PDB file of all heavy atoms in Angstrom:
ATOM      1  N   LYS B 725      99.143  90.015 107.983  1.00 66.00           N
ATOM      2  CA  LYS B 725      98.638  90.805 106.852  1.00 66.00           C
ATOM      3  C   LYS B 725      97.232  91.260 107.182  1.00 66.00           C
ATOM      4  O   LYS B 725      96.650  92.049 106.456  1.00 66.00           O
ATOM      5  CB  LYS B 725      98.648  89.897 105.548  1.00 66.00           C
ATOM      6  CG  LYS B 725      99.954  89.732 104.889  1.00 66.00           C
ATOM      7  CD  LYS B 725      99.993  89.055 103.656  1.00 66.00           C
ATOM      8  CE  LYS B 725     101.304  88.829 103.127  1.00 66.00           C
ATOM      9  NZ  LYS B 725     101.425  87.956 101.806  1.00 66.00           N
ATOM     10  N   GLU B 726      96.637  90.517 108.157  1.00 73.00           N
ATOM     11  CA  GLU B 726      95.231  90.837 108.397  1.00 73.00           C
ATOM     12  C   GLU B 726      94.891  92.315 108.701  1.00 73.00           C
ATOM     13  O   GLU B 726      94.001  92.946 108.136  1.00 73.00           O
ATOM     14  CB  GLU B 726      94.676  89.898 109.520  1.00 73.00           C
ATOM     15  CG  GLU B 726      93.042  90.017 109.541  1.00 73.00           C
ATOM     16  CD  GLU B 726      92.543  89.215 110.592  1.00 73.00           C
ATOM     17  OE1 GLU B 726      93.292  88.522 111.357  1.00 73.00           O
ATOM     18  OE2 GLU B 726      91.263  89.043 110.794  1.00 73.00           O
ATOM     19  N   PRO B 727      95.687  93.023 109.598  1.00 72.00           N
ATOM     20  CA  PRO B 727      95.346  94.393 109.918  1.00 72.00           C
ATOM     21  C   PRO B 727      95.455  95.240 108.624  1.00 72.00           C
ATOM     22  O   PRO B 727      94.679  96.175 108.546  1.00 72.00           O
ATOM     23  CB  PRO B 727      96.473  94.717 110.858  1.00 72.00           C
ATOM     24  CG  PRO B 727      96.794  93.505 111.542  1.00 72.00           C
ATOM     25  CD  PRO B 727      96.748  92.457 110.450  1.00 72.00           C
ATOM     26  N   ARG B 728      96.324  94.968 107.743  1.00 75.00           N
ATOM     27  CA  ARG B 728      96.514  95.715 106.491  1.00 75.00           C
ATOM     28  C   ARG B 728      95.076  95.602 105.584  1.00 75.00           C
ATOM     29  O   ARG B 728      94.684  96.537 104.933  1.00 75.00           O
ATOM     30  CB  ARG B 728      97.525  95.290 105.674  1.00 75.00           C
ATOM     31  CG  ARG B 728      98.987  95.299 106.378  1.00 75.00           C
ATOM     32  CD  ARG B 728      99.547  96.560 106.054  1.00 75.00           C
ATOM     33  NE  ARG B 728     100.848  96.840 106.637  1.00 75.00           N
ATOM     34  CZ  ARG B 728     101.594  97.789 106.577  1.00 75.00           C
ATOM     35  NH1 ARG B 728     101.275  98.758 105.800  1.00 75.00           N
ATOM     36  NH2 ARG B 728     102.846  97.949 107.105  1.00 75.00           N
ATOM     37  N   ARG B 729      94.543  94.294 105.711  1.00 83.00           N
ATOM     38  CA  ARG B 729      93.324  94.160 105.026  1.00 83.00           C
ATOM     39  C   ARG B 729      92.120  95.036 105.573  1.00 83.00           C
ATOM     40  O   ARG B 729      91.308  95.513 104.830  1.00 83.00           O
ATOM     41  CB  ARG B 729      92.957  92.687 105.123  1.00 83.00           C
ATOM     42  CG  ARG B 729      91.762  92.380 104.203  1.00 83.00           C
ATOM     43  CD  ARG B 729      91.317  90.858 104.300  1.00 83.00           C
ATOM     44  NE  ARG B 729      90.349  90.526 103.260  1.00 83.00           N
ATOM     45  CZ  ARG B 729      89.570  89.500 103.324  1.00 83.00           C
ATOM     46  NH1 ARG B 729      89.710  88.727 104.386  1.00 83.00           N
ATOM     47  NH2 ARG B 729      88.750  89.283 102.345  1.00 83.00           N
ATOM     48  N   TRP B 730      92.206  95.255 106.896  1.00 87.00           N
ATOM     49  CA  TRP B 730      91.203  96.116 107.392  1.00 87.00           C
ATOM     50  C   TRP B 730      91.216  97.434 106.952  1.00 87.00           C
ATOM     51  O   TRP B 730      90.152  98.280 106.880  1.00 87.00           O
ATOM     52  CB  TRP B 730      91.357  96.224 108.968  1.00 87.00           C
ATOM     53  CG  TRP B 730      91.453  94.927 109.801  1.00 87.00           C
ATOM     54  CD1 TRP B 730      91.062  93.642 109.256  1.00 87.00           C
ATOM     55  CD2 TRP B 730      91.938  94.638 111.025  1.00 87.00           C
ATOM     56  NE1 TRP B 730      91.287  92.850 110.210  1.00 87.00           N
ATOM     57  CE2 TRP B 730      91.800  93.295 111.361  1.00 87.00           C
ATOM     58  CE3 TRP B 730      92.593  95.577 111.921  1.00 87.00           C
ATOM     59  CZ2 TRP B 730      92.319  92.736 112.515  1.00 87.00           C
ATOM     60  CZ3 TRP B 730      93.056  94.964 113.129  1.00 87.00           C
ATOM     61  CH2 TRP B 730      92.871  93.609 113.520  1.00 87.00           C
ATOM     62  N   MET B 731      92.435  97.899 106.433  1.00 88.00           N
ATOM     63  CA  MET B 731      92.478  99.330 105.972  1.00 88.00           C
ATOM     64  C   MET B 731      91.823  99.489 104.714  1.00 88.00           C
ATOM     65  O   MET B 731      91.561 100.679 104.282  1.00 88.00           O
ATOM     66  CB  MET B 731      93.976  99.723 105.753  1.00 88.00           C
ATOM     67  CG  MET B 731      94.747  99.810 106.991  1.00 88.00           C
ATOM     68  SD  MET B 731      96.440 100.145 106.514  1.00 88.00           S
ATOM     69  CE  MET B 731      97.257  99.247 107.864  1.00 88.00           C
ATOM     70  N   ARG B 732      91.354  98.465 104.057  1.00 88.00           N
ATOM     71  CA  ARG B 732      90.651  98.618 102.741  1.00 88.00           C
ATOM     72  C   ARG B 732      89.188  99.170 103.094  1.00 88.00           C
ATOM     73  O   ARG B 732      88.610  99.615 102.049  1.00 88.00           O
ATOM     74  CB  ARG B 732      90.473  97.291 102.136  1.00 88.00           C
ATOM     75  CG  ARG B 732      91.798  96.688 101.576  1.00 88.00           C
ATOM     76  CD  ARG B 732      91.590  95.424 100.879  1.00 88.00           C
ATOM     77  NE  ARG B 732      92.816  94.661 100.708  1.00 88.00           N
ATOM     78  CZ  ARG B 732      92.980  93.429 100.252  1.00 88.00           C
ATOM     79  NH1 ARG B 732      91.817  92.700 100.028  1.00 88.00           N
ATOM     80  NH2 ARG B 732      94.137  92.874 100.104  1.00 88.00           N
ATOM     81  N   ALA B 733      88.864  99.226 104.293  1.00 91.00           N
ATOM     82  CA  ALA B 733      87.594  99.979 104.562  1.00 91.00           C
ATOM     83  C   ALA B 733      87.665 101.460 104.231  1.00 91.00           C
ATOM     84  O   ALA B 733      86.623 102.087 103.998  1.00 91.00           O
ATOM     85  CB  ALA B 733      87.135  99.814 106.069  1.00 91.00           C
ATOM     86  N   PHE B 734      88.960 101.932 104.335  1.00 93.00           N
ATOM     87  CA  PHE B 734      89.048 103.354 103.923  1.00 93.00           C
ATOM     88  C   PHE B 734      89.099 103.588 102.489  1.00 93.00           C
ATOM     89  O   PHE B 734      89.462 102.761 101.693  1.00 93.00           O
ATOM     90  CB  PHE B 734      90.387 103.890 104.546  1.00 93.00           C
ATOM     91  CG  PHE B 734      90.409 104.247 105.986  1.00 93.00           C
ATOM     92  CD1 PHE B 734      90.923 103.158 106.826  1.00 93.00           C
ATOM     93  CD2 PHE B 734      90.089 105.344 106.495  1.00 93.00           C
ATOM     94  CE1 PHE B 734      90.797 103.372 108.251  1.00 93.00           C
ATOM     95  CE2 PHE B 734      90.092 105.555 107.933  1.00 93.00           C
ATOM     96  CZ  PHE B 734      90.419 104.566 108.663  1.00 93.00           C
ATOM     97  N   PRO B 735      88.679 104.785 101.972  1.00 92.00           N
ATOM     98  CA  PRO B 735      88.532 105.056 100.591  1.00 92.00           C
ATOM     99  C   PRO B 735      89.960 105.094  99.949  1.00 92.00           C
ATOM    100  O   PRO B 735      91.012 105.253 100.653  1.00 92.00           O
ATOM    101  CB  PRO B 735      87.930 106.407 100.468  1.00 92.00           C
ATOM    102  CG  PRO B 735      87.858 107.018 101.808  1.00 92.00           C
ATOM    103  CD  PRO B 735      88.065 105.850 102.760  1.00 92.00           C
ATOM    104  N   ARG B 736      90.041 104.690  98.669  1.00 91.00           N
ATOM    105  CA  ARG B 736      91.442 104.579  97.986  1.00 91.00           C
ATOM    106  C   ARG B 736      92.237 105.867  98.124  1.00 91.00           C
ATOM    107  O   ARG B 736      93.443 105.738  98.365  1.00 91.00           O
ATOM    108  CB  ARG B 736      91.206 104.214  96.506  1.00 91.00           C
ATOM    109  CG  ARG B 736      92.498 104.072  95.659  1.00 91.00           C
ATOM    110  CD  ARG B 736      92.271 103.677  94.310  1.00 91.00           C
ATOM    111  NE  ARG B 736      91.783 102.268  94.256  1.00 91.00           N
ATOM    112  CZ  ARG B 736      92.523 101.167  94.388  1.00 91.00           C
ATOM    113  NH1 ARG B 736      93.757 101.333  94.495  1.00 91.00           N
ATOM    114  NH2 ARG B 736      92.157  99.998  94.317  1.00 91.00           N
ATOM    115  N   ASP B 737      91.625 107.062  97.825  1.00 91.00           N
ATOM    116  CA  ASP B 737      92.424 108.320  97.959  1.00 91.00           C
ATOM    117  C   ASP B 737      93.007 108.580  99.420  1.00 91.00           C
ATOM    118  O   ASP B 737      94.082 109.020  99.499  1.00 91.00           O
ATOM    119  CB  ASP B 737      91.650 109.448  97.526  1.00 91.00           C
ATOM    120  CG  ASP B 737      90.438 109.862  98.314  1.00 91.00           C
ATOM    121  OD1 ASP B 737      89.912 108.766  98.904  1.00 91.00           O
ATOM    122  OD2 ASP B 737      90.026 110.884  98.273  1.00 91.00           O
ATOM    123  N   TRP B 738      92.262 108.048 100.306  1.00 92.00           N
ATOM    124  CA  TRP B 738      92.730 108.202 101.654  1.00 92.00           C
ATOM    125  C   TRP B 738      93.959 107.260 101.856  1.00 92.00           C
ATOM    126  O   TRP B 738      94.932 107.699 102.539  1.00 92.00           O
ATOM    127  CB  TRP B 738      91.554 107.933 102.759  1.00 92.00           C
ATOM    128  CG  TRP B 738      91.841 108.244 104.189  1.00 92.00           C
ATOM    129  CD1 TRP B 738      91.609 109.286 104.754  1.00 92.00           C
ATOM    130  CD2 TRP B 738      92.668 107.266 105.050  1.00 92.00           C
ATOM    131  NE1 TRP B 738      92.074 109.246 106.089  1.00 92.00           N
ATOM    132  CE2 TRP B 738      92.617 108.110 106.350  1.00 92.00           C
ATOM    133  CE3 TRP B 738      93.215 106.112 104.987  1.00 92.00           C
ATOM    134  CZ2 TRP B 738      93.265 107.569 107.435  1.00 92.00           C
ATOM    135  CZ3 TRP B 738      93.904 105.606 106.111  1.00 92.00           C
ATOM    136  CH2 TRP B 738      93.857 106.312 107.351  1.00 92.00           C
ATOM    137  N   ARG B 739      93.742 106.053 101.448  1.00 92.00           N
ATOM    138  CA  ARG B 739      94.827 105.046 101.577  1.00 92.00           C
ATOM    139  C   ARG B 739      96.093 105.631 100.879  1.00 92.00           C
ATOM    140  O   ARG B 739      97.200 105.312 101.368  1.00 92.00           O
ATOM    141  CB  ARG B 739      94.425 103.705 101.124  1.00 92.00           C
ATOM    142  CG  ARG B 739      93.528 102.969 102.083  1.00 92.00           C
ATOM    143  CD  ARG B 739      93.080 101.655 101.666  1.00 92.00           C
ATOM    144  NE  ARG B 739      92.102 101.697 100.706  1.00 92.00           N
ATOM    145  CZ  ARG B 739      91.957 100.891  99.559  1.00 92.00           C
ATOM    146  NH1 ARG B 739      92.824 100.025  99.340  1.00 92.00           N
ATOM    147  NH2 ARG B 739      90.829 100.851  98.776  1.00 92.00           N
ATOM    148  N   ASP B 740      95.859 106.100  99.673  1.00 91.00           N
ATOM    149  CA  ASP B 740      97.126 106.592  98.961  1.00 91.00           C
ATOM    150  C   ASP B 740      97.889 107.540  99.720  1.00 91.00           C
ATOM    151  O   ASP B 740      99.117 107.574  99.746  1.00 91.00           O
ATOM    152  CB  ASP B 740      96.617 107.303  97.638  1.00 91.00           C
ATOM    153  CG  ASP B 740      96.070 106.327  96.625  1.00 91.00           C
ATOM    154  OD1 ASP B 740      96.318 105.119  96.824  1.00 91.00           O
ATOM    155  OD2 ASP B 740      95.344 106.687  95.658  1.00 91.00           O
ATOM    156  N   ARG B 741      97.144 108.386 100.593  1.00 92.00           N
ATOM    157  CA  ARG B 741      97.887 109.285 101.413  1.00 92.00           C
ATOM    158  C   ARG B 741      98.356 108.874 102.756  1.00 92.00           C
ATOM    159  O   ARG B 741      99.458 109.129 103.143  1.00 92.00           O
ATOM    160  CB  ARG B 741      96.907 110.553 101.685  1.00 92.00           C
ATOM    161  CG  ARG B 741      97.223 111.575 102.667  1.00 92.00           C
ATOM    162  CD  ARG B 741      98.653 112.254 102.309  1.00 92.00           C
ATOM    163  NE  ARG B 741      99.033 113.187 103.510  1.00 92.00           N
ATOM    164  CZ  ARG B 741      99.631 112.739 104.517  1.00 92.00           C
ATOM    165  NH1 ARG B 741      99.957 111.346 104.648  1.00 92.00           N
ATOM    166  NH2 ARG B 741      99.866 113.638 105.470  1.00 92.00           N
ATOM    167  N   TYR B 742      97.561 107.964 103.462  1.00 93.00           N
ATOM    168  CA  TYR B 742      97.858 107.645 104.843  1.00 93.00           C
ATOM    169  C   TYR B 742      98.206 106.144 104.978  1.00 93.00           C
ATOM    170  O   TYR B 742      98.743 105.873 106.005  1.00 93.00           O
ATOM    171  CB  TYR B 742      96.613 107.975 105.618  1.00 93.00           C
ATOM    172  CG  TYR B 742      96.383 109.488 105.798  1.00 93.00           C
ATOM    173  CD1 TYR B 742      95.315 109.991 105.038  1.00 93.00           C
ATOM    174  CD2 TYR B 742      97.224 110.298 106.535  1.00 93.00           C
ATOM    175  CE1 TYR B 742      95.093 111.368 105.155  1.00 93.00           C
ATOM    176  CE2 TYR B 742      96.784 111.624 106.619  1.00 93.00           C
ATOM    177  CZ  TYR B 742      95.798 112.162 105.949  1.00 93.00           C
ATOM    178  OH  TYR B 742      95.602 113.461 105.935  1.00 93.00           O
ATOM    179  N   GLU B 743      98.083 105.296 104.119  1.00 91.00           N
ATOM    180  CA  GLU B 743      98.186 103.835 104.277  1.00 91.00           C
ATOM    181  C   GLU B 743      99.617 103.397 104.904  1.00 91.00           C
ATOM    182  O   GLU B 743      99.664 102.727 105.849  1.00 91.00           O
ATOM    183  CB  GLU B 743      97.930 103.052 102.992  1.00 91.00           C
ATOM    184  CG  GLU B 743      97.854 101.574 103.306  1.00 91.00           C
ATOM    185  CD  GLU B 743      97.454 100.794 102.115  1.00 91.00           C
ATOM    186  OE1 GLU B 743      97.623 101.202 100.947  1.00 91.00           O
ATOM    187  OE2 GLU B 743      96.821  99.769 102.336  1.00 91.00           O
ATOM    188  N   ARG B 744     100.559 104.068 104.360  1.00 91.00           N
ATOM    189  CA  ARG B 744     101.963 103.749 104.730  1.00 91.00           C
ATOM    190  C   ARG B 744     102.155 104.006 106.273  1.00 91.00           C
ATOM    191  O   ARG B 744     102.531 103.073 106.961  1.00 91.00           O
ATOM    192  CB  ARG B 744     102.974 104.514 103.904  1.00 91.00           C
ATOM    193  CG  ARG B 744     104.455 104.063 104.167  1.00 91.00           C
ATOM    194  CD  ARG B 744     105.465 104.911 103.311  1.00 91.00           C
ATOM    195  NE  ARG B 744     106.741 104.773 103.723  1.00 91.00           N
ATOM    196  CZ  ARG B 744     107.444 103.908 103.308  1.00 91.00           C
ATOM    197  NH1 ARG B 744     107.054 103.006 102.372  1.00 91.00           N
ATOM    198  NH2 ARG B 744     108.778 103.905 103.609  1.00 91.00           N
ATOM    199  N   GLU B 745     101.944 105.272 106.633  1.00 93.00           N
ATOM    200  CA  GLU B 745     102.258 105.576 107.965  1.00 93.00           C
ATOM    201  C   GLU B 745     101.133 104.933 108.975  1.00 93.00           C
ATOM    202  O   GLU B 745     101.516 104.583 110.113  1.00 93.00           O
ATOM    203  CB  GLU B 745     102.196 107.052 108.151  1.00 93.00           C
ATOM    204  CG  GLU B 745     100.899 107.863 107.768  1.00 93.00           C
ATOM    205  CD  GLU B 745     101.085 109.339 107.635  1.00 93.00           C
ATOM    206  OE1 GLU B 745     101.483 109.813 106.577  1.00 93.00           O
ATOM    207  OE2 GLU B 745     100.882 110.046 108.563  1.00 93.00           O
ATOM    208  N   PHE B 746      99.884 104.796 108.422  1.00 93.00           N
ATOM    209  CA  PHE B 746      99.011 104.177 109.288  1.00 93.00           C
ATOM    210  C   PHE B 746      99.339 102.681 109.496  1.00 93.00           C
ATOM    211  O   PHE B 746      99.115 102.145 110.630  1.00 93.00           O
ATOM    212  CB  PHE B 746      97.581 104.151 108.542  1.00 93.00           C
ATOM    213  CG  PHE B 746      96.383 103.729 109.234  1.00 93.00           C
ATOM    214  CD1 PHE B 746      96.000 104.322 110.477  1.00 93.00           C
ATOM    215  CD2 PHE B 746      95.551 102.637 108.880  1.00 93.00           C
ATOM    216  CE1 PHE B 746      94.963 103.759 111.251  1.00 93.00           C
ATOM    217  CE2 PHE B 746      94.562 102.012 109.573  1.00 93.00           C
ATOM    218  CZ  PHE B 746      94.219 102.738 110.738  1.00 93.00           C
ATOM    219  N   GLY B 747      99.915 101.989 108.439  1.00 91.00           N
ATOM    220  CA  GLY B 747     100.337 100.680 108.682  1.00 91.00           C
ATOM    221  C   GLY B 747     101.543 100.559 109.618  1.00 91.00           C
ATOM    222  O   GLY B 747     101.588  99.584 110.455  1.00 91.00           O
ATOM    223  N   VAL B 748     102.396 101.671 109.665  1.00 92.00           N
ATOM    224  CA  VAL B 748     103.489 101.659 110.725  1.00 92.00           C
ATOM    225  C   VAL B 748     102.804 101.620 111.988  1.00 92.00           C
ATOM    226  O   VAL B 748     103.415 100.993 113.023  1.00 92.00           O
ATOM    227  CB  VAL B 748     104.262 102.806 110.390  1.00 92.00           C
ATOM    228  CG1 VAL B 748     105.333 102.898 111.564  1.00 92.00           C
ATOM    229  CG2 VAL B 748     105.046 102.646 109.015  1.00 92.00           C
ATOM    230  N   LEU B 749     101.796 102.504 112.226  1.00 93.00           N
ATOM    231  CA  LEU B 749     101.164 102.593 113.496  1.00 93.00           C
ATOM    232  C   LEU B 749     100.649 101.197 113.979  1.00 93.00           C
ATOM    233  O   LEU B 749     100.840 100.799 115.090  1.00 93.00           O
ATOM    234  CB  LEU B 749     100.129 103.611 113.475  1.00 93.00           C
ATOM    235  CG  LEU B 749      99.144 103.685 114.768  1.00 93.00           C
ATOM    236  CD1 LEU B 749      99.885 104.121 116.089  1.00 93.00           C
ATOM    237  CD2 LEU B 749      98.073 104.747 114.624  1.00 93.00           C
ATOM    238  N   VAL B 750      99.938 100.569 113.079  1.00 92.00           N
ATOM    239  CA  VAL B 750      99.372  99.286 113.381  1.00 92.00           C
ATOM    240  C   VAL B 750     100.424  98.191 113.716  1.00 92.00           C
ATOM    241  O   VAL B 750     100.395  97.496 114.684  1.00 92.00           O
ATOM    242  CB  VAL B 750      98.478  98.794 112.155  1.00 92.00           C
ATOM    243  CG1 VAL B 750      98.018  97.354 112.435  1.00 92.00           C
ATOM    244  CG2 VAL B 750      97.176  99.681 112.074  1.00 92.00           C
ATOM    245  N   ASP B 751     101.409  98.300 112.865  1.00 91.00           N
ATOM    246  CA  ASP B 751     102.696  97.367 113.211  1.00 91.00           C
ATOM    247  C   ASP B 751     103.171  97.646 114.554  1.00 91.00           C
ATOM    248  O   ASP B 751     103.495  96.688 115.228  1.00 91.00           O
ATOM    249  CB  ASP B 751     103.687  97.600 112.175  1.00 91.00           C
ATOM    250  CG  ASP B 751     103.237  97.035 110.748  1.00 91.00           C
ATOM    251  OD1 ASP B 751     102.284  96.271 110.645  1.00 91.00           O
ATOM    252  OD2 ASP B 751     103.930  97.418 109.708  1.00 91.00           O
TER     253      ASP B 751
END
Side-chain angles (χ1 to χ4, degrees):
Chain B
K725 287 182 180 175
E726 193 182 2
R728 299 267 181 181
R729 191 181 183 200
W730 305 342
M731 292 178 212
R732 292 183 194 169
F734 284 92
R736 179 177 289 278
D737 62 332
W738 190 95
R739 279 184 280 143
D740 289 344
R741 165 65 183 83
Y742 294 102
E743 186 170 28
R744 184 181 169 85
E745 57 194 91
F746 187 63
V748 173
L749 171 63
V750 171
D751 290 346

